[in-house]
């Protein structure tokens, strides 16, 4: 019989609705992908002096937020990342430009 105390922490990490956030979790459990945009994003952000815009899209649980956490960890020495959770801060069915600007300002 397997030991639940051993497997529970590992099982808790693999929830598709929750990203890998901590550096040690990313290091231990992240599965590298051939099409990962992280290296491109890090290089582009380090080379660009002007503001840059990027769009990451994909279905729920596809790894978008985990990839952004990887970008954050790669750039932590030179940049400050501010996370804005629009799901809890905005009404997803009634979002206007003003609400987004105010949320960014907060």
């Amino acid at each position: 019989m397997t030991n639940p105390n051993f497997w529970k922490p590992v099982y808790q990490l693999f929830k598709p609705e929750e990203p890998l956030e901590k550096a040690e979790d990313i290091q231990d459990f992240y599965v590298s992908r051939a099409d990962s945009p992280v290296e491109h994003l890090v290089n582009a952000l380090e080379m660009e002096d002007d503001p840059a815009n990027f769009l990451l899209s994909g279905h729920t649980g596809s790894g978008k937020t985990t990839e952004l956490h990887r970008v954050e960890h790669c750039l932590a020495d030179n940049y400050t990342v501010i996370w804005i959770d629009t799901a809890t801060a905005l009404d997803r069915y009634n979002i206007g430009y003003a609400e987004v600007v105010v949320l960014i300002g907060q």
Side-chain angles (χ1 to χ4, degrees):
M1 175 126 227
T2 49
N3 182 352
N5 293 328
F6 173 79
W7 288 107
K8 185 174 181 175
V10 175
Y11 177 80
Q12 294 297 320
L13 284 171
F14 292 98
K15 296 179 181 177
E17 69 277 2
E18 296 179 16
L20 295 173
E21 296 177 355
K22 296 184 233 165
E24 59 270 11
D25 291 343
I26 291 173
Q27 181 180 346
D28 293 342
F29 299 108
Y30 177 78
V31 176
S32 181
R33 304 170 199 189
D35 60 347
S36 172
V38 171
E39 186 175 333
H40 171 72
L41 290 173
V42 168
N43 289 338
L45 288 168
E46 287 182 331
M47 297 297 291
E48 189 62 56
D49 286 334
D50 295 326
N53 299 307
F54 300 96
L55 173 67
L56 291 180
S57 64
H59 59 82
T60 302
S62 64
K64 301 176 297 293
T65 305
T66 297
E67 295 293 87
L68 288 174
H69 280 293
R70 290 186 59 227
V71 171
E72 176 185 15
H73 293 297
C74 290
L75 298 173
D77 293 337
N78 300 318
Y79 293 90
T80 299
V81 175
I82 299 170
W83 288 90
I84 300 172
D85 184 2
T86 57
T88 59
L90 296 173
D91 177 3
R92 68 171 24 161
Y93 301 109
N94 188 20
I95 299 174
Y97 293 111
E99 289 88 357
V100 174
V101 170
V102 169
L103 183 61
I104 291 170
Q106 291 179 339

